[in-house]
């Protein structure tokens, strides 16, 4: 009798990437998502980012997403950590950080309602997905005061 020695590989984990963009004043660039029923976290404030395309790694995905969503190019992307979006898309999200000091109102917003730099203390009054709030809090906890 011949045994099947080929193991089935587990299904690929859906992945995504987001970027916490800070300016020199310490404000964070947030994106108010469209209020559409077919997207994850409609009408929530979030950071820019999205899902990885097939064969795309998170760093490639965030560079693409920043360009597609806001025409934004940053040079200093730093990979931070991963958090799973347990209550939304289910994706494993890689968080990145970068700095940018431009005028967010001049960016060509391709998705969502608006982009706005917000002070960290203003975030408690915004509706933010739990995994994004966790990621921002982790990022802020490691930033120099």
């Amino acid at each position: 009798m011949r045994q099947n020695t080929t193991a089935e590989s587990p299904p690929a984990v859906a992945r995504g990437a987001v970027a916490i963009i800070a300016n020199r004043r310490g404000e964070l660039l947030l994106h108010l998502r469209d209020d559409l029923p077919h997207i994850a976290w409609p009408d929530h404030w979030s950071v820019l980012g999205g899902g990885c395309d097939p064969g795309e790694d998170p760093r490639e995905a965030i560079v693409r997403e920043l360009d597609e969503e806001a025409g934004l190019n940053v040079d200093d992307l730093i990979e931070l950590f991963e958090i799973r979006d347990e209550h939304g898309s289910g994706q494993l999200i890689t968080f990145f950080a970068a700095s940018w000091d431009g005028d967010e109102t001049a960016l060509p917003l391709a998705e969502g309602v608006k982009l706005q730099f917000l002070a960290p203390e203003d975030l408690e009054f915004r509706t933010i997905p739990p995994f994004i709030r966790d990621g921002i809090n982790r990022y802020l906890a490691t930033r120099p005061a």
Side-chain angles (χ1 to χ4, degrees):
M1 182 193 294
R2 191 169 166 219
Q3 279 189 311
N4 183 357
T5 57
T6 58
E8 285 189 33
S9 43
V13 174
R15 300 196 50 105
V18 297
I20 299 172
I21 309 288
N23 63 19
R24 71 174 141 251
R25 294 180 304 277
E27 298 166 323
L28 305 180
L29 184 62
L30 268 74
H31 174 231
L32 180 57
R33 296 175 58 79
D34 288 306
D35 190 7
L36 300 172
H38 66 278
I39 66 170
W41 304 107
D43 198 31
H44 280 65
W45 287 90
S46 189
V47 290
L48 292 168
C52 296
D53 287 341
E56 185 177 49
D57 71 36
R59 180 173 293 277
E60 293 168 330
I62 194 56
V63 168
R64 176 183 51 75
E65 288 285 346
L66 290 173
D67 181 51
E68 286 178 2
E69 291 183 358
L72 188 57
N73 294 304
V74 294
D75 296 324
D76 60 344
L77 272 175
I78 299 167
E79 188 171 332
L80 300 175
F81 43 76
E82 294 178 336
I83 298 176
R84 184 171 303 282
D85 177 9
E86 297 288 347
H87 304 290
S89 69
Q91 292 178 327
L92 182 61
I93 307 295
T94 303
F95 280 71
F96 291 86
S99 58
W100 184 73
D101 283 307
D103 175 6
E104 75 274 23
T105 63
L107 291 172
L109 184 61
E111 293 179 20
V113 177
K114 73 189 289 187
L115 287 169
Q116 186 175 349
F117 274 113
L118 297 167
E121 57 271 18
D122 293 334
L123 300 182
E124 68 181 275
F125 304 109
R126 306 291 172 155
T127 305
I128 299 173
F131 78 103
I132 295 293
R133 189 175 296 280
D134 290 348
I136 289 171
N137 289 339
R138 283 177 66 179
Y139 165 79
L140 292 172
T142 63
R143 255 188 4 177

